[in-house]
Amino acid sequence: MKRVVVSVALALTMATAGEQFAMSDADRAMYEEMLENNPADIFVEEGGEIFEEELGGEAALAKFLGIKENELPKYIAGFPRYIEKLGNVVGVDQVLQAMMVEQGKEKIKLKDAKMFSLLAYVKSLANDEQFNIDINANAHMKASYALGEKTFMTARGGRGLSCNSCHSKDIVGMVLRTQPLPDLGEAGAGATWPAYRMTKSSLRTLQRRFQGCMKNALLAVLPIGSKEMVGLELYISKLAQDKQKAIAIPGLKR
C-alpha cells in the first residue's frame, strides 16, 4: 500500500486557483463552443437510425425487456441491471446485442464504434432521469456491485495502482498530467457517458474510458462487457446516483 501512495504522490501536485489548468485557453474556448454544439450529437443521431432501422426501435426494445414502451426511460436509468432472460447483470449494450441475436442479425461487437453510437442513443432516452439502481434487488446485483467495488479498490499492475488511487477522497482535487482528478460521483461520471472526447475526436463509452485509464496505469486491460467491467460501471453509476446526478448523454470530455 505504501508503494501505491508514494507512486501517486510523485505524480501529483495540488491544484490551486490560477496555478494549474486542465486546458489551454484555446482548448477551453473550443470546449465552451462544443458545449453548445456537441460533436457527439451526430453519433447519437446515427445510433438512433441504426436502432430504428435494424432493431425495430423503442417498441422492440420494450418488448424484449418485457415492459411498456413508456416505461423505457425509467427502466434504462436502472442499468446496469439483472436481466433474467440473460441470466446476468448487464449493460444496455449487452441487451442490444441479445436483441440482435434474437432477431437473427449479426451481433455488433461491444467495442465497435457502431455499438458506441447505438448505446449513446438508447441511453439518451433516459436523459434527465435520476438513476434508480437497486443494488440490493437480488443476489446477482449485490455480487456485481461488490465485484465492481473490488475492481475499483484493488491495486494491481506494474505501478501498483487502483482506480481508487486517483479518485479517493485524499487525492481528488490534485492534478495529474494537467488534469484535476475528479470525485467520480460528484462529476456524475456514470451519468455522462457515452461522451465525445476532444483528445480522441470520437465518441467513447464509460467502459472504453476505463480501458484507457487501465492502459495508462499499466494495468491489465479488462474486456468491455466482462463481469468486472459491468460491475465497475455499476459501482460508478451508483456513485452518480448517490450524488443525485441526472442522466445527460452525450457528455463532453477533454
Side-chain angles (χ1 to χ4, degrees):
M1 187 66 180
K2 184 177 181 180
R3 182 164 64 93
V4 173
V5 174
V6 171
S7 62
V8 173
L10 289 174
L12 298 173
T13 54
M14 183 65 73
T16 57
E19 183 180 353
Q20 298 252 12
F21 297 93
M23 302 183 191
S24 66
D25 290 342
D27 281 350
R28 192 179 300 278
M30 185 184 299
Y31 179 81
E32 294 296 332
E33 182 178 346
M34 285 183 175
L35 284 174
E36 300 296 325
N37 299 285
N38 190 335
D41 291 338
I42 297 173
F43 297 103
V44 174
E45 184 177 346
E46 176 188 56
E49 292 174 357
I50 297 169
F51 184 56
E52 291 292 335
E53 295 172 6
E54 299 187 20
L55 289 177
E58 294 175 40
L61 176 59
K63 182 179 179 181
F64 182 87
L65 294 171
I67 61 175
K68 296 178 180 178
E69 192 172 338
N70 64 2
E71 295 173 342
L72 274 175
K74 287 188 177 299
Y75 196 82
I76 290 169
F79 276 91
R81 68 190 308 151
Y82 178 70
I83 301 296
E84 186 173 358
K85 69 194 297 184
L86 301 183
N88 278 309
V89 176
V90 295
V92 172
D93 49 357
Q94 291 167 296
V95 168
L96 296 173
Q97 275 193 332
M99 287 180 66
M100 294 169 197
V101 172
E102 186 175 83
Q103 295 178 12
K105 295 181 171 65
E106 184 177 355
K107 186 168 64 174
I108 301 172
K109 294 181 179 180
L110 296 177
K111 63 181 181 180
D112 195 297
K114 189 174 179 181
M115 178 59 83
F116 290 0
S117 294
L118 258 173
L119 178 61
Y121 175 78
V122 175
K123 292 196 74 173
S124 75
L125 297 176
N127 276 352
D128 300 323
E129 295 282 345
Q130 297 284 335
F131 276 116
N132 54 68
I133 294 168
D134 183 1
I135 60 173
N136 295 311
N138 50 59
H140 302 281
M141 288 293 286
K142 289 180 181 178
S144 182
Y145 181 82
L147 179 59
E149 184 175 27
K150 179 181 178 181
T151 303
F152 187 87
M153 296 293 182
T154 300
R156 57 193 181 91
R159 291 173 176 162
L161 299 175
S162 68
C163 302
N164 190 58
S165 297
C166 291
H167 296 288
S168 69
K169 292 181 180 179
D170 295 333
I171 297 296
V172 164
M174 292 185 178
V175 170
L176 176 63
R177 298 171 63 187
T178 78
Q179 298 297 297
L181 296 169
D183 177 314
L184 295 181
E186 191 62 44
T192 54
W193 293 86
Y196 185 82
R197 287 206 70 197
M198 294 170 59
T199 54
K200 302 296 182 182
S201 298
S202 63
L203 182 74
R204 297 297 175 99
T205 65
L206 184 58
Q207 290 190 31
R208 182 65 185 86
R209 183 69 186 102
F210 292 157
Q211 287 188 324
C213 288
M214 291 171 188
K215 183 178 180 180
N216 289 337
L218 299 184
L219 309 182
V221 175
L222 301 172
I224 293 175
S226 63
K227 288 188 176 182
E228 291 84 0
M229 277 292 209
V230 173
L232 191 54
E233 180 173 346
L234 176 60
Y235 179 75
I236 298 301
S237 297
K238 184 62 166 58
L239 292 179
Q241 176 174 305
D242 292 344
K243 294 291 186 177
Q244 299 183 321
K245 298 296 180 179
I247 295 171
I249 294 168
L252 178 64
K253 313 290 181 179
R254 183 182 183 279

